[in-house]
Every structure is written in C-alpha cells, then in structure tokens.
Amino acid sequence: MTASSPRTPSSAEQPWPVRVVSDQIAAWIHRLGAVWVEGQITQLSLRPGTRTAFLTLRDPSVDNSLTLTCPPRLISESPVPVTEGSRVVVRGTPRFYTGRGSFSLQVSEIRPVGVGELLARIERLKQALSAEGLFDPRLKRPLPFLPTCVGLITGRASAAERDVVEVARGRWPDVRFAVRNTPVQGASAVPQILDALAGLDADPVVDVIILARGGGSVEDLLPFSDEALIRAISRCRTPVVSAIGHEPDSPLSDLVADLRAATPTDAAKRVVPDVVEERRRIAEARSRTARALRGWVDRERNQLAAVRSRPCMANPYGIVDSRAEIVAEALRAARRDITRIIDSESTSLGHLSARLTTLGPAATLARGYAVVQSVAGSHDGRVVSSIADAPPGSQLRIRVSDGSISAAALGSTPAAGRTTPSPDTSEPQTPEPPTPAPQTPAPQTPAPPNPEEQS
C-alpha cells in the first residue's frame, strides 16, 4: 500500500498526522524490493495452527538483528532442518506495517548455508585479510617469559577452561588468571568475545590473552573465523594465543593470533613455563658456568705457571749477569788492546827518540867531531867550512862535545883536487854540524832534528 505525498511540508503549525508519516515510511521501504539477506537464526516462533512464523535473524559480527515473517511451511518443508543457531540465506521483501508501526522482512525463500559454502566463504575472507597483511609473520609479538597475569576467554565451566587453569598452575603454582566466560558458539558469541577481548587488552596487569575452546563442527567454530573478531585480534596490543578446537581445526583466529596452540592444554604449556623444568635448566646452567669458570681458572693458572717457569722469570738478574760478564770481558779486551797499542807506540817512540839522538849534533860531537867558528872581526860566529875562511892568524873557537877551545890558525893545506874558494865577506851564518862519518843505515827514515835536543 502506498500513500500520496502530502501537499504541504510538515511544520510546528501544520504537523503531519501519524497515518501520513506511516504511509510515507511504508512507501519508501516498499521501494527497496526483494533482497537476499544472510544471518543466523537466534529465535524461532512456530506455533501449531498459525499462518505465520516469526523469526529473528542476527548478524553474527555485530549486535544487530532483523525480524522475519514467513509461512510455516518454509520451515517444516526445508530439506535441512532450520533451528535456532542455523546460518541461513533468506529472500524477502521489506514490509512496514502502518497499523503497528513495525518493520519486518516478509520471507519467501529460506536456504540453509551448507558446510561447503561456509568453508568457501571463510577461504574468501582468508584471502582478503591476507592481502591486507593481517597474517604477516612480522606482526607477531613474542610472548612474555613469565606472565604476571594470563587473560582467558572461554566458555563457562568448560573443559577448555579447566584444562588451561589446571595445567598452567601445575607448571607454575603462582600464575594468576583473569577469566572471562563468554559463549563460544551461537549468535551471541562474537559480540561478547569482542567485549571480553577489549577489556583484557585494556587491563595493564594482563600480559597475554588466551582464546580457548574445545573441538566442534565448522558451524560451532564459525565465530572464531568472524571478520570483526579477526580485526579485533590484530588491533590488540597484548599478545593473543589462539587455542580453538583440536589440531585439525584451523579457524582464522589461528592465523591472526601471535601464537597458535593445537589445544587449550598446549596453550597453557606454551604460555606458562614449567617451574620444575626451569629450575633444572637453572641448575644445569649453574653447573656449566661453574665448570667453565673452573676450566678458565685452571687454564690461567697453567699459563701463569708456564710464565713463571721461564728462565727470565726464575732468575730475572740472569740476563743482566750474563750481559755484565760480556761487558766486563769486552772492557778487559779493550784495556788489553789499549795497553798493547800504548806499549807499541811507546816502543816506536823510543826507537825514534834513539835515532833522533843518534843523528843529532851532540851525538856527532861525542863521536870526535868538532865545529870550528871564527871569532874575530865581522865574521864572528861564522862556521869555518873552508880554508879560505880561516887565514893564518885567525882567531878560532873549536866546539867539542864537552865544551869549546880557543885557537888561532897557523896555516892551511888545501885538499888534493879541490880549489880554494875566495873568502866570503857576507854576514856570519849559523854554524852547521859537520858531516858525520858513514854509519850503518837505520831501518827507518829518520825524523827531522828536534831543536830542543840540538841545544
């Protein structure tokens, strides 16, 4: 049924009657036409003898529901039983009943969702979430070694809760739990699990959260593959452990959680360390540390003993003593060489002195030679080297080895074959020693006479 639009808009002065508003709402809703809707049946009212069955279809991800009406035969003649908790796809037309002001979806077809279709939908959701990166291993957070408090989301008085608590306290008696009991299947499971997860994640005392549930069918485990729950787990700041079902079960919560446990018991073992095992490891580590320390001390002691046993450490002055002997021997050798050189040079000097003495004027005079000098006139002190230098009557001084003799020239006899030079009237010359008689030549060339020795 449709209603024509009112001619004037509503206002405080000209409000619309209720029937007009209801007609307008009905007109807009009826324009939607037939739609297909998916959800989970949470309430089913089918009374014998009635012509209409009433159902409540709920969205498993959020707290939202829709009222359905349908002929009873759609439920009774369905090839798959339609019961509360069943996931279905319905085709219906929206209806707004103006008399009661209520809305419902008038259903003309109901199709139960089979396991194959559920698995296909889960797989499509898995691929879409994986493409977003929600399953990236790099996003996994490490679990704390010894959690202060463990958050546990599980069914009330369930075997999963008992297994987790008993196993964990058997491993570490002081472990504490913050348990949140929620439905783990059915239409109300996802909203309550989301609330419990948000509360535990906001609690600063909780170090890790465990989602635990026993095994079940695909439909029973469907809440743990819900997109809203998967995204909530990925947003958690607290590490989350998924312990849903048994080893073959693989809901999407296992992929997004920081750790996937095969069973609730396995989750307790993975989260809570075993006090007995840890004490054994501590004792073993202390034993290894002590052995390593003793081994290190023994090695250092052996190395120290090896160093102390070296000759340089046993007698530190040995090197100095040996070097001192070498230095003393070198000093004695140097002294011997210097003494030998001095003796050799002294001997050479004595020989040279003796030769010089032998060749000097005093030695010549001692052998019988004499030096004759003129002592009168302008030629006083001149050595007479020629008979012309001492004419008869000349005053002479004859120098011998032990003094001088004054004499006068009585005459001269020229040597055979020699011409007597004429007297020289030049200035007197320094007397020269007479030429000595031929002697045996010395082994070395004589040095020049020393003026001091000549005097």
Side-chain angles (χ1 to χ4, degrees), residues 148-413:
T148 304
C149 181
V150 178
L152 177 61
I153 301 176
T154 185
R156 184 179 302 276
S158 62
E161 178 182 358
R162 184 178 61 255
D163 292 343
V164 172
V165 174
E166 291 181 357
V167 172
R169 288 179 176 167
R171 293 170 63 85
W172 195 281
D174 295 334
V175 66
R176 291 189 298 152
F177 280 93
V179 182
R180 301 291 185 270
N181 295 122
T182 64
V184 291
Q185 69 183 52
S188 61
V190 173
Q192 295 191 36
I193 293 175
L194 290 175
D195 294 340
L197 186 64
L200 292 176
D201 186 44
D203 190 347
V205 178
V206 177
D207 295 328
V208 62
I209 300 173
I210 299 177
L211 291 176
R213 187 198 189 283
S217 63
V218 176
E219 295 86 348
D220 294 339
L221 302 181
L222 202 58
F224 297 95
S225 293
D226 187 85
E227 181 178 0
L229 180 59
I230 301 305
R231 295 188 181 277
I233 294 175
S234 67
R235 291 192 300 267
C236 283
R237 293 171 296 178
T238 307
V240 177
V241 178
S242 176
I244 306 303
H246 301 295
E247 182 66 30
D249 300 325
S250 57
L252 297 185
S253 61
D254 288 351
L255 302 178
V256 73
D258 298 291
L259 177 67
R260 188 246 180 189
T263 61
T265 302
D266 181 55
K269 294 180 179 180
R270 302 284 291 274
V271 171
V272 180
D274 187 357
V275 63
V276 177
E277 178 66 18
E278 294 303 323
R279 287 176 178 173
R280 185 192 64 79
R281 291 181 181 177
I282 292 174
E284 184 179 352
R286 296 170 96 182
S287 177
R288 289 199 306 267
T289 303
R291 288 197 302 269
L293 183 58
R294 285 194 295 268
W296 177 79
V297 172
D298 292 341
R299 287 194 303 271
E300 295 299 322
R301 183 183 291 115
N302 294 334
Q303 292 181 3
L304 182 59
V307 171
R308 296 179 62 183
S309 64
R310 293 178 182 176
C312 62
M313 297 299 294
N315 183 16
Y317 296 101
I319 298 177
V320 177
D321 295 340
S322 62
R323 298 301 178 186
E325 294 177 0
I326 295 174
V327 172
E329 180 62 27
L331 183 59
R332 290 192 293 269
R335 287 176 177 174
R336 288 196 302 269
D337 294 340
I338 293 174
T339 303
R340 185 175 60 252
I341 293 173
I342 291 174
D343 294 343
S344 176
E345 294 300 327
S346 297
T347 303
S348 299
L349 183 59
H351 293 165
L352 292 176
S353 177
R355 291 182 59 191
L356 183 61
T357 302
T358 302
L359 298 176
T364 303
L365 295 176
R367 288 198 301 272
Y369 292 94
V371 178
V372 181
Q373 295 176 314
S374 176
V375 297
S378 61
H379 300 289
D380 186 13
R382 181 177 181 181
V383 176
V384 177
S385 61
S386 174
I387 59 176
D389 296 334
S394 301
Q395 297 294 322
L396 302 174
R397 184 174 58 246
I398 301 173
R399 184 180 177 185
V400 294
S401 60
D402 56 351
S404 61
I405 303 172
S406 298
L410 299 179
S412 61
T413 304

Side-chain angles (χ1 to χ4, degrees), residues 11-229:
S11 64
E13 291 75 16
Q14 295 180 346
W16 290 352
V18 173
R19 63 180 181 279
V20 174
V21 175
S22 298
D23 292 342
Q24 291 291 321
I25 294 175
W28 282 103
I29 289 177
H30 293 166
R31 293 178 186 178
L32 180 62
V35 293
W36 289 93
V37 183
E38 179 185 0
Q40 187 176 24
I41 297 176
T42 59
Q43 185 177 359
L44 176 61
S45 177
L46 179 61
R47 297 178 181 179
T50 59
R51 295 182 300 176
T52 304
F54 295 91
L55 301 88
T56 301
L57 189 66
R58 185 184 182 88
D59 191 331
S61 301
V62 295
D63 188 9
N64 201 334
S65 59
L66 184 66
T67 301
L68 307 181
T69 59
C70 69
R73 61 177 180 81
L74 291 180
I75 299 175
S76 59
E77 297 176 2
S78 175
V80 178
V82 177
T83 59
E84 293 183 358
S86 301
R87 292 182 66 94
V88 294
V89 176
V90 300
R91 183 179 186 274
T93 303
R95 287 287 182 264
F96 183 78
Y97 298 95
T98 58
R100 299 189 305 269
S102 61
F103 172 82
S104 67
L105 190 66
Q106 187 174 354
V107 177
S108 59
E109 186 176 353
I110 299 178
R111 296 182 182 179
V113 177
V115 175
E117 186 175 355
L118 288 177
L119 294 177
R121 292 181 181 180
I122 293 175
E123 183 63 26
R124 288 194 296 270
L125 179 60
K126 174 183 175 181
Q127 294 178 0
L129 297 178
S130 177
E132 294 182 20
L134 268 65
F135 305 150
D136 193 340
R138 293 175 296 181
L139 301 178
K140 308 296 182 184
R141 289 154 296 192
L143 302 184
F145 169 71
L146 182 60
T148 304
C149 181
V150 178
L152 177 61
I153 301 176
T154 185
R156 184 179 302 276
S158 62
E161 178 182 358
R162 184 178 61 255
D163 292 343
V164 172
V165 174
E166 291 181 357
V167 172
R169 288 179 176 167
R171 293 170 63 85
W172 195 281
D174 295 334
V175 66
R176 291 189 298 152
F177 280 93
V179 182
R180 301 291 185 270
N181 295 122
T182 64
V184 291
Q185 69 183 52
S188 61
V190 173
Q192 295 191 36
I193 293 175
L194 290 175
D195 294 340
L197 186 64
L200 292 176
D201 186 44
D203 190 347
V205 178
V206 177
D207 295 328
V208 62
I209 300 173
I210 299 177
L211 291 176
R213 187 198 189 283
S217 63
V218 176
E219 295 86 348
D220 294 339
L221 302 181
L222 202 58
F224 297 95
S225 293
D226 187 85
E227 181 178 0
L229 180 59

